[in-house]
Amino acid sequence: MRSSNAARTGAWLVLLALVVVSVNLRPTITTVAGVMNQVNGAFGLDPSLLPLLGTLPVLAFGVSGPIAPWLARKVGAAPAIGLALMVLAGALVLRVVLPALLLPGTFLAGTAIMTASVLVPQIVKANHGTGWWTGLCTMGFGLGAALGAGLVQPLEQAFGGSLAWALAVWALPAVAGAILILGTRRTTAAGAGVPDLATAARSWAAGGGAPASDATGKVTPLRKQRTAWAVTAFFGLQAMLYFAITSWLAVYLMSKGLSPADAAALLAWFSLAGLPASLLAPVLASRPRVLRVLAPGLGISVAVALIGVLLAPAALQFPMVGVLGVVQSAGFGLGMALVVIRSAGPQSAGKLSAMSQGFGFALASLGPLAAGLLHTWTGRWEATFLALAAEALVLAGAGFFAIRGPVASIESVEPSAETHTKPELVR
């Protein structure tokens, strides 16, 4: 009984730590997005480099994906996340102490965020986390994004008008997250190397498809597995939409006549409105019948919501931005859930997470840049929003293919393994 209670307590502590970690993985981006028009004055940045500033964190995501699996093999998943959060805290302070390092510091912060983000699904899978685990973590991402956008201007006022320190103060919760996740290292290490074979075996026995392998029985590398690429495409496209929207939504709203404070508040509302959706999407995704509709349907919903924000007058932006936040956050929640649902075990989840987030964020880095350039070239926002809506329709296609076929796996599976979990594949 004591061991059972200890295991249950340990699982709750792991979940709490993962949620706190997740909250730290978006404020670095949304704090800057909410005050983009003030950055050049506060840091002496050339205005022409503002699109680059919005792109750098996501670009760092794209190129630093392989770091997380390598670091986890060296020191363990939990210590790797703790180290990443300490680097994040250091980068946030570095930008204040040496404003000339704003761009390099932002890139370093993005690298740290990516390292932690990749390992969250691996720890969820290793602890046999349910859809609620994934949902709470993705809700943590959304909560962090909302807090970053909503608190940046109040914090600026609290620091006597210093935008630099309003951005740097987010180093404190990053340190807190590092301490929490390091405190769970024994619990996470206990399951991190044990493949979740039962889940994959039940899916195999249910006719959902065995993990991909070649004619000799050897497991096929992820880069040659169709499901892995479909999940990667879905994750990358939804991330591309998210970062394009968060980078330029406040600027767009100001062009509609809203004040900078109101535009920043609506950017926070965009993240806040999506919190329930980011929680529920992974839970609903565990039901195959719902997933058949949810995966392709979200892309179509995002396209419709984008057109709504484009056409709505300033007075109606609050509900329209809220709707966009709901469907966009649901897409992110589903993207994270697919990494867990469509992988055979924790090692596969870690590799698929690195692949989907690495390649996905490399694609996503084009979002803020392309959106800004389209607006600059045309002098209007119609081309930007129509391009994003078209991308959302491609996202629907990626979702359709991501939920079909065998699970992505780099692990062997024993079909006779017993389990009480539900089948995770969708035909």
Side-chain angles (χ1 to χ4, degrees), residues 49-359:
L49 295 177
L50 285 179
L52 178 60
L53 179 64
T55 301
L56 267 179
V58 194
L59 182 61
F61 294 172
V63 301
S64 59
I67 294 176
W70 173 82
L71 190 59
R73 288 195 301 271
K74 295 293 185 181
V75 300
I81 292 178
L83 178 61
L85 289 183
M86 294 303 295
V87 172
L88 172 61
L92 294 177
V93 174
L94 180 68
R95 300 191 304 183
V96 171
V97 177
L98 297 172
L101 296 181
L102 174 64
L103 295 179
T106 299
F107 185 86
L108 180 61
T111 300
I113 290 170
M114 178 62 176
T115 300
S117 179
V118 163
L119 295 175
V120 168
Q122 179 172 337
I123 294 180
V124 170
K125 192 79 175 183
N127 286 271
H128 307 282
T130 64
W132 287 105
W133 277 53
T134 305
L136 287 168
C137 290
T138 54
M139 189 175 71
F141 280 85
L143 179 60
L147 291 173
L151 293 180
V152 61
Q153 292 194 338
L155 286 171
E156 182 181 3
Q157 296 174 3
F159 283 104
S162 173
L163 176 61
W165 285 108
L167 300 179
V169 73
W170 293 97
L172 296 177
V175 172
I179 293 172
L180 276 175
I181 194 67
L182 287 173
T184 70
R185 61 188 181 276
R186 291 184 180 178
T187 303
T188 54
V194 181
D196 189 3
L197 300 182
T199 298
R202 175 61 181 270
S203 297
W204 184 91
S213 60
D214 59 23
T216 65
K218 295 182 179 179
V219 175
T220 306
L222 284 185
R223 66 180 182 276
K224 296 183 179 180
Q225 296 184 33
R226 184 187 66 186
T227 299
W229 280 111
V231 171
T232 297
F234 186 91
F235 192 95
L237 289 167
Q238 65 80 24
M240 187 177 183
L241 286 164
Y242 172 82
F243 289 112
I245 293 168
T246 54
S247 294
W248 295 106
L249 181 61
V251 179
Y252 164 73
L253 292 172
M254 283 187 283
S255 75
K256 302 281 285 188
L258 277 71
S259 69
D262 289 341
L266 279 180
L267 178 59
W269 168 237
F270 167 78
S271 297
L272 191 61
L275 290 181
S278 65
L279 171 63
L280 292 176
V283 177
L284 295 174
S286 64
R287 303 178 179 182
R289 291 183 180 179
V290 176
L291 187 57
R292 289 191 186 100
V293 177
L294 188 63
L298 277 177
I300 298 172
S301 300
V302 172
V304 173
L306 282 165
I307 299 302
V309 171
L310 174 64
L311 298 179
L316 293 179
Q317 286 299 331
F318 180 82
M320 295 310 304
V321 168
V323 171
L324 180 59
V326 168
V327 293
Q328 179 64 55
S329 294
F332 174 64
L334 180 58
M336 293 291 284
L338 287 174
V339 173
V340 178
I341 293 172
R342 304 297 280 137
S343 58
Q347 295 177 21
S348 297
K351 288 288 188 179
L352 181 58
S353 181
M355 177 178 173
S356 61
Q357 295 195 51
F359 284 103

